[in-house]
Amino acid sequence: MTDFTIHTLESAPEASRPLLEDSNRSFGRVPGLHAVMAEAPALLDGYKHLHRLFGEATSFDKDEITVVWQTINVEHECHYCVPAHTGIAKMMKVDDAITEALRDETPLPNARLEALRNFTLQMVRQRGDLSAAQVEAFLQAGFTRQQILEVILGVAQKVMSNYTNHLAETPVDAVMQKFAWEKKAEAEA
């Protein structure tokens, strides 16, 4: 595996320094993901921008945002993002039952959130090549065409972070280690 630098404000490329300073102001620290992404300033900038857009500018509520993020993180088996988004969900005051169902891949508390998780999984697994019936089922669950496209935004953002964390083996931040996660083994048939 290639070693990636976990940058500090001092070691980061010049173009990444303002981005890391912003992260430090926002979080009181530089998250490890941002420290790794700093090697490629355009990636870090793009990720931060998509994170803000998905988390603040979509039509999804806090529970739905969490469902999209964590569904992708769990599907991609991201050792870093599942704990990070567990902490983020707690900060957003998302019901722990939602978070635990997402982490454990067990049923969500209501059919609407389950439909969102299923649609997000279909989007990821089928690379956006969904059937008319799959799209119609999502719409029938009360979602909109806008939200179909917003799921794509969430997927784009999470691909950036999940793939970076896989390649860099980004250590889980100390404040998120209490939410450490590993995918449960598949039940044997």
Side-chain angles (χ1 to χ4, degrees):
M1 185 62 68
T2 302
D3 288 329
F4 285 86
T5 301
I6 300 173
H7 284 286
T8 64
L9 291 168
E10 295 75 33
S11 71
E14 188 69 33
S16 287
R17 290 181 186 161
L19 299 166
L20 292 182
E21 288 168 357
D22 175 67
S23 296
N24 196 40
R25 276 191 302 277
S26 296
F27 300 103
R29 62 187 170 79
V30 175
L33 172 64
H34 297 192
V36 170
M37 284 182 164
E39 185 72 27
L43 175 65
L44 178 57
D45 190 28
Y47 174 77
K48 288 172 66 86
H49 189 67
L50 291 183
H51 181 81
R52 184 188 61 73
L53 287 173
F54 188 78
E56 299 173 14
T58 65
S59 60
F60 291 122
D61 67 26
K62 64 184 174 58
D63 294 345
E64 295 163 345
I65 289 167
T66 299
V67 168
V68 173
W69 274 337
Q70 277 300 49
T71 297
I72 300 164
N73 292 334
V74 169
E75 179 67 13
H76 287 166
E77 298 183 38
C78 186
H79 72 283
Y80 181 94
C81 286
V82 173
H85 281 280
T86 300
I88 291 168
K90 286 195 174 293
M91 288 184 268
M92 292 168 56
K93 300 191 183 332
V94 171
D95 185 337
D96 287 342
I98 293 171
T99 299
E100 291 308 312
L102 291 163
R103 288 170 57 100
D104 296 340
E105 299 180 273
T106 57
L108 285 159
N110 67 61
R112 181 178 166 84
L113 293 179
E114 195 63 50
L116 178 57
R117 173 168 50 188
N118 289 337
F119 185 79
T120 302
L121 283 171
Q122 291 165 346
M123 189 69 77
V124 171
R125 291 173 179 167
Q126 296 170 224
R127 296 178 198 84
D129 190 17
L130 278 63
S131 70
Q134 289 170 318
V135 171
E136 186 57 31
F138 186 65
L139 296 172
Q140 289 298 312
F143 292 100
T144 66
R145 285 172 179 72
Q146 175 182 339
Q147 289 170 320
I148 292 169
L149 299 174
E150 290 172 344
V151 168
I152 295 170
L153 174 63
V155 171
Q157 178 211 347
K158 296 314 307 169
V159 163
M160 295 167 88
S161 60
N162 295 167
Y163 288 19
T164 297
N165 290 320
H166 287 314
L167 288 166
E169 298 177 351
T170 312
V172 176
D173 299 327
V175 299
M176 298 300 175
Q177 287 176 359
K178 62 187 169 201
F179 306 123
W181 173 87
E182 286 184 22
K183 187 169 182 79
K184 291 186 185 238
E186 298 290 326
E188 291 187 27

